[in-house]
Amino acid sequence: MPNTESKGLLIFFYFCIAIFSLICLVPFVLAVSGSLSTESRIAAEGYSFWPRGFTLETYEFLFGSKAQQILQAYSMSVIVTVLGTVSAVLVTTAYAYVISVKGFRLKNFFAFFAYFTMLFSGGTLPWYLLSTKYYHLGDTLLGLFVPYLLSVFLMFLMANYFRSIPHEIVESAQIDGAGHLRIFFSIMVPLGRVGLVTISLFYALQFWNDFYLPLMLVSDQELYTIQYLMYNMMANIQFLASGNAAQVGGAIIAPPLETAKMAMTCLTVLPIAVLYPFLQRFFVKGIVVGSVKG
Amino acid sequence: MMQDAIPEKARRQVLKTGTARTRSYRNSLKKDSSLYLLALPGIIVLILFAYLPMSGLILVFKNYNFNDGIFGSPWAGFSNFEFFFSSMEDALRATRNTVILNALYMLTGTFFSVAIAIILNELRSKWFIKVTQSVMFFPYFISWIIIGAILFSLLDYDKGIFNQLLTTLGWGQVDWYSSPWLFVIILVLANIWKSAGYGAIIYYAVLQGVDTSYYEAAKIDGASRWQIITKITLPMLIPSIILMSLLNIGGMLKGDLSMIMGVTFLNPLLLPTTDIIDVYVYRTAIRSGEFGFASAITLYQSVFGFILVLAANKLAGWYDKDSKLF
């Protein structure tokens, strides 16, 4: 499409994109390098992009003394992600199917019923009070995923996929006597699997990264997810760093805090980084369908 | 962030109110019963976590106590509003911060996303586009808490990379975590870093759908690369930019609590610029238990946000009828 003239501009464009891509990756290098440095050298010389005094001590420390806590939080994150994703995908696709059924008289109502929640909300506070006092979700496993079971945006995305499935298939199934449940589970779900994979990934990511729900609803250490454990650790370090700790009292133990933070960062990002190359194209496909179609 | 785009079709679906078909109600109830069954879990989730909390807004008129709960607590008339207006300063600060931060996120985020998409559209090397696109998209997958941890290693007073660099250059260190106004820039940059790649994919996808004959015609007419960008590519993106902005304006009074928590840890020194409404509600209500007061803020946030959506929608209607949300 573009002209061959103004080569300079084109080179400049390549340069811009390359720089921004680098900036997107460099902070992670910093985290890995920090986790492989020794605590004393970080304390004395600060962070760097190359490990200061290369060592695996921090990981040994984490897997030694903190192993129990970290494994607990890690497995809690995995449980929440798996349970959350599976149930959210079920709830979402079922709802999406309903509003995509041709000729269903209430489909517009149901669509608006979901859409309206994007426009207007009761806010954090009533949500919090209802969840803790009336639904009793505080300090429960359910509280860590149930509030997120229906993302309206992903529901509309899924409905779009269902609408793209040729109506004739549904019609012929109806003539053969299939009901909506049958059509949903044995036709729509298998045929909409690209959409299904997309929204599953978005949900999985959301559940893995979430620390809002534990922040609001959890105080029991056994229910800490890895993100929330990380949050607590960071908040404590800030507390120590801000000087407030002076009043708390003398016995400041010196675990490798700085490097541990970086090691935790790496551990938390690791699953995403490992799966990302394989899954990335589904996300892209999902966004493209969601934004362009229609 | 996932709520950035509502599929076009779904919006149209929402527009068409009133059903053309008038079937016998009982007949359709029987035929469609399995549909209600399928929708039921979703309806329950929406009612529990979206609609019932809306009714919780009556808290504004209540003197909340934990034992009697939302609906049992005694009525308080307008005293919460009096309280709200008496500590107007904090509420206004929170509103100002929310609006400023969101406006900055929106402007810079859109600018960078669009710029990246346009540049990608000019590049020819397929593998370069693929690789850089994946790389730029990656930060979108990282939680704010992790970004906060990494930022700390960049910004820490003694150990941070930035200050090391500044010292080497002989400029002295900056105390980022106690400079509220400097930190606004940090937040804006962090937001660009996390979401520009994601936004760029959306706009790039739109550009991929553009009819190539426009470009061919322009080339024959001898248009320069820059002319093609400003006269064809950019105008093609404008409807999507408007749609995205509209959706964002509705959320103008909604702050990202996870972002502020993850990046600043509610550092009191930064509150002058980072105390957004959601943070304010969290601090006054969930931490200090001033429920009636906090719900007055929440109500104000919701109503004002709703008005903003309606206004933005109207505005878009003036510009172009098809750009309207509803």
Side-chain angles (χ1 to χ4, degrees), chain A residues 1-3 5 14 23 47 103 105 108 113 115 121-122 133-135 153 156 160 209 227 261 276 280, chain B residues 2 5-7 13 16 19 48 51 66 70 124 134 141 143 152 159 164 193 219 223 225 298 302:
Chain A
M1 290 172 256
N3 290 345
E5 52 111 12
Y14 272 103
I23 292 174
Y47 289 99
R105 63 204 297 265
N108 289 333
F113 189 74
Y115 179 55
S121 82
K133 191 165 162 60
Y134 292 87
Y135 315 153
F153 170 67
F156 279 122
N160 250 351
N209 275 344
Q227 304 281 347
K261 215 162 60 188
Y276 184 72
Q280 182 258 134
Chain B
M2 283 188 189
I6 301 173
Q13 226 49 264
K16 279 188 252 152
T19 38
L48 285 184
Y51 282 96
F66 203 77
I70 296 180
R124 289 295 72 124
S134 311
F141 295 79
S143 71
F152 188 78
K159 302 183 279 288
Q164 288 179 44
W193 182 81
K219 229 160 61 175
R225 187 186 301 278
T298 307
S302 295

Side-chain angles (χ1 to χ4, degrees), chain B residues 13-227:
Chain B
Q13 226 49 264
V14 172
L15 303 188
K16 279 188 252 152
T17 42
T19 38
R21 227 158 300 172
T22 40
R23 246 184 287 148
S24 130
Y25 182 67
R26 192 179 299 166
N27 204 351
S28 76
L29 197 68
K30 199 174 165 195
K31 183 175 164 283
D32 297 332
S33 61
S34 49
L35 285 179
Y36 296 109
L37 190 72
L38 283 171
L40 191 65
I43 292 171
I44 292 174
V45 171
L46 287 173
I47 288 177
L48 285 184
F49 296 104
Y51 282 96
L52 282 178
M54 288 180 202
S55 74
L57 286 173
I58 58 161
L59 272 178
V60 183
F61 305 105
K62 292 257 179 170
N63 221 337
Y64 185 82
N65 66 66
F66 203 77
N67 288 330
D68 296 329
I70 296 180
F71 304 103
S73 294
W75 294 94
F78 287 92
S79 62
N80 283 322
F81 283 102
E82 283 164 30
F83 195 33
F84 175 73
F85 285 113
S86 69
S87 44
M88 200 63 178
E89 219 168 283
D90 279 354
L92 281 180
R93 181 179 82 168
T95 311
R96 182 202 65 191
N97 290 342
T98 315
V99 172
I100 290 181
L101 281 178
N102 275 334
L104 287 175
Y105 294 160
M106 212 172 101
L107 289 173
T108 56
T110 309
F111 177 81
F112 275 89
S113 298
V114 169
I116 293 170
I118 289 177
I119 294 178
L120 282 178
N121 193 47
E122 293 295 312
L123 305 184
R124 289 295 72 124
S125 164
K126 280 268 177 288
W127 70 265
F128 185 82
I129 294 172
K130 267 217 169 90
V131 170
T132 52
Q133 209 182 20
S134 311
V135 171
M136 290 186 289
F137 192 21
F138 187 65
Y140 181 71
F141 295 79
I142 305 304
S143 71
W144 277 116
I145 181 67
I146 294 299
I147 294 175
I150 295 177
L151 258 184
F152 188 78
S153 59
L154 286 170
L155 301 177
D156 184 60
Y157 189 75
D158 295 320
K159 302 183 279 288
I161 295 277
F162 283 178
N163 279 348
Q164 288 179 44
L165 196 74
L166 289 177
T167 332
T168 331
L169 293 172
W171 286 343
Q173 292 145 297
V174 178
D175 195 354
W176 305 93
Y177 282 98
S178 54
S179 318
W181 290 102
L182 269 181
F183 214 81
V184 171
I185 300 174
I186 304 283
L187 286 174
V188 168
L189 290 178
N191 183 66
I192 293 171
W193 182 81
K194 182 167 159 70
S195 56
Y198 166 79
I201 289 180
I202 296 178
Y203 294 119
Y204 183 64
V206 174
L207 287 179
Q208 294 307 292
V210 172
D211 190 346
T212 49
S213 58
Y214 289 109
Y215 290 105
E216 277 151 20
K219 229 160 61 175
I220 292 166
D221 289 346
S224 72
R225 187 186 301 278
W226 188 249
Q227 280 172 324

Side-chain angles (χ1 to χ4, degrees), chain A residues 15-27:
Chain A
F15 179 74
C16 289
I17 295 291
I19 290 289
F20 187 69
S21 304
L22 264 182
I23 292 174
C24 286
L25 279 187
V26 155

